[in-house]
Each structure stands twice: as C-alpha cells, then as structure tokens.
Amino acid sequence: METELIKEIQTREIPYEDLKVVFPFLENKINLENKLEMEIAEVRMIDSLPQLSHFQNIVRLKDTTTPLNKDVLEIHRDAFKKLYLDSVAMPQATGNYITAVKIWLGLDVNNKLKPLFQPICIQKNNENDYLVHSNERVYHYDNSKTNEEKFQPIAITEVEGLKKRYRKGMEIFHLNETVFRNFIRDLDTEAVIYPFQTIYTLIFDNLEANDCVTLRNSIATNRQSGNLDNKHSILLYATKAVDKEIRDFRNKYANRSHLCPPGSIEIADLDLF
C-alpha cells in the first residue's frame, strides 16, 4: 500500500506588529489593506536562477553589444516612505484596496536603464478583479538627496521621453521567434507593479543584512504555469548574502510582480491571504 505525501501549504501575512515599530507611519494604515500572501512571493537566491541566467538571452539593447547591468538601482529603505504616503493618501485607499508602486522602465541618453516610480492604489472592482488607480506624481531616484527625499518629482515630458527611449532602444526575443525583434507596445513590459506590503516585508526580513532594496533585471515567469515568459521584469532583493533556505524573505528575492502591459488597468490574480 502506497502512502500519499501531502505537502502542507504554509501561509504568511505581513509582520504588521513588527513593521509598525520599525516604520511608525505604517501604523493603522497598511494593516487595513486587503492582506496579501507573502510566502508565494518568495524566490530563493541561487546562482542559476533561470529568471536571471536567461535575461541576456531575452532582453537586450538595440544596436550595441554592451549588455544591460545586472542590477538597475539600489534604493534606501527610508526613501519608500514618500511613495507609500502618496499611495495611501489617494481617495481610492478605502474599503478593499492595496497600496503599491508602479516601476516604469525608462532608458536615458547613455543607454542606462532609468526606472521611474509612480504611487498607485489598487481597488477592488468586483468579485474577481481590481482596478489600478495612478497618482499624478511620478518620481525618479536622486542619490544626492537625503534618504527620505531621494525620490524627487520628475516632469511628465521627461517621463514620456525616458519611456519612449526604452521602447525604441530595446529588443526582445519573443516566444516562438527565432531572432530578436523590436519592442512591441501592448505586448512587452513597460512597467512592473509591487505592493508596499511586499516591499516592507522584504525590508523588515533583512534589517540586519542591508538598509537598501535593489532592483535586479530578470525575465518574467507565468503566474499560472510558473514557466519562463520572454518579458522584461524586475526582482527585488535586500541582501547580497546567500545562506540557507528559511521561511521568509531573508536571502530571497521578492517577486509576483504584475507586468504592464498586459493588465495595466485591471489586475485579476492578486495573491490574497
């Protein structure tokens, strides 16, 4: 007689009681959001992670042999406060909602990725989907400022120029193709969305390791099948040390981001607790 082994499904909410001690501005705010499942977002930090090792084979700059850097930007943990407070102050931050940041992919005149950050509020629309509401402010990261002021507003004309340069300057090896092709609008990724619940849990789990969150270039995985998808994505991590596997974000990436497009207006597969 064979014995069936059933893997226990583990769940984890954000560590709210600890978060509000380290980040007092989260108190009586982030706990009011629809709770997300944190464990689903964890990705082990291993050298051969397919999302990273295949990146250069899927995403590249046009008309140059210079590869994109592995890491895009390192953000001090105190800087996120400004973006979060913008998001939670939006009129849609009531009832069934989740605060988040949309990270737009931009390219500067030196062919360096320049991410742009837009606070958003994701509000439940009906039983199965959420609507994405965008704050009017868009920020870039200015290392010359103090930690809490590193996110500085950027003019919309400059935002659109950086986004357009990214679309014009990138090539993607699309699924079922045999060569790199130009960026396809409404198919390829222009931005990724990360909830603040995920960001602050990642930071808290790594307080002793680092005081920054790093954006790392990757390709996406299909949220349903788990297979690799030939789309530009971003992983977040807060420690550079690789250690034993444990049940939280220490020495792990945060993923389960949402790609835009598709799904830039509606989100239907949030990892609710």
Side-chain angles (χ1 to χ4, degrees), residues 9 14 55 79 99 108 148 177 223 246:
I9 299 176
I14 62 170
F55 176 75
T99 59
D108 68 17
E148 288 197 8
E177 290 281 3
R223 294 174 66 87
I246 50 181

Side-chain angles (χ1 to χ4, degrees), residues 237-273:
Y237 73 99
T239 177
K240 296 180 173 68
V242 178
D243 202 349
K244 63 182 181 180
E245 180 184 5
I246 50 181
R247 185 179 169 262
D248 55 28
F249 280 115
R250 292 191 191 98
N251 303 331
K252 291 182 182 177
Y253 295 105
N255 196 12
R256 300 294 286 181
S257 58
H258 289 264
L259 305 183
C260 308
S264 57
I265 298 176
E266 291 186 356
I267 293 179
D269 54 354
L270 286 164
D271 300 319
L272 297 177
F273 190 85

Side-chain angles (χ1 to χ4, degrees), residues 22-263:
V22 181
F23 306 104
F25 56 88
L26 296 176
E27 185 171 6
N28 297 326
K29 292 183 179 69
I30 203 166
N31 61 312
L32 301 180
E33 299 183 16
N34 285 10
K35 294 181 177 61
L36 294 174
E37 165 60 70
M38 290 295 101
E39 185 145 336
I40 295 175
E42 297 171 7
V43 178
R44 290 183 59 197
M45 294 187 81
I46 57 175
D47 292 337
S48 58
L49 191 67
Q51 297 98 300
L52 303 179
S53 60
H54 291 289
F55 176 75
Q56 302 291 351
N57 299 324
I58 303 300
V59 180
R60 74 181 186 187
L61 291 165
K62 189 185 299 183
D63 301 326
T64 179
T65 58
T66 303
L68 289 167
N69 290 339
K70 181 166 63 174
D71 287 337
V72 181
L73 180 66
E74 189 174 78
I75 302 171
H76 195 277
R77 72 190 192 202
D78 293 343
F80 286 105
K81 178 180 178 180
K82 179 181 287 190
L83 303 184
Y84 171 75
L85 292 179
D86 270 6
S87 182
V88 79
M90 292 176 65
Q92 293 84 10
T94 183
N96 296 307
Y97 73 96
I98 292 167
T99 59
V101 60
K102 180 183 284 189
I103 305 172
W104 290 96
L105 299 171
L107 193 69
D108 68 17
V109 294
N110 297 313
N111 278 340
K112 299 292 185 183
L113 285 178
K114 183 177 176 66
L116 304 163
F117 302 83
Q118 186 170 28
I120 63 173
C121 186
I122 305 168
Q123 189 177 52
K124 193 166 188 178
N125 183 38
N126 56 45
E127 188 64 27
N128 297 314
D129 62 63
Y130 285 68
L131 293 179
V132 176
H133 301 274
S134 297
N135 194 290
E136 62 183 12
R137 297 186 186 92
V138 180
Y139 296 90
H140 73 114
Y141 193 76
D142 186 346
N143 255 319
S144 69
K145 304 295 184 181
T146 61
N147 290 336
E148 288 197 8
E149 295 298 322
K150 288 186 184 297
F151 281 116
Q152 291 292 309
I154 184 170
I156 295 301
T157 53
E158 190 173 354
V159 168
E160 293 306 316
L162 289 161
K163 289 167 23 177
K164 182 178 180 180
R165 193 175 292 116
Y166 174 85
R167 295 193 299 268
K168 295 290 186 182
M170 303 304 298
E171 292 182 320
I172 312 294
F173 200 102
H174 297 106
L175 288 174
N176 302 318
E177 290 281 3
T178 57
V179 296
F180 277 87
R181 302 287 187 188
N182 288 338
F183 181 97
I184 300 176
R185 201 162 188 181
D186 297 325
L187 172 67
D188 290 314
T189 305
E190 294 190 60
V192 296
I193 291 174
Y194 270 100
F196 283 109
Q197 289 183 52
T198 304
I199 292 171
Y200 277 109
T201 302
L202 171 70
I203 293 171
F204 176 78
D205 286 351
N206 291 280
L207 284 175
E208 296 179 0
N210 201 355
D211 57 6
C212 293
V213 171
T214 301
L215 279 57
R216 175 161 285 182
N217 278 316
S218 72
I219 58 173
T221 53
N222 185 284
R223 294 174 66 87
Q224 280 72 45
S225 68
N227 296 327
L228 293 180
D229 199 356
N230 289 20
K231 296 178 184 292
H232 194 172
S233 187
I234 298 290
L235 289 175
L236 305 184
Y237 73 99
T239 177
K240 296 180 173 68
V242 178
D243 202 349
K244 63 182 181 180
E245 180 184 5
I246 50 181
R247 185 179 169 262
D248 55 28
F249 280 115
R250 292 191 191 98
N251 303 331
K252 291 182 182 177
Y253 295 105
N255 196 12
R256 300 294 286 181
S257 58
H258 289 264
L259 305 183
C260 308

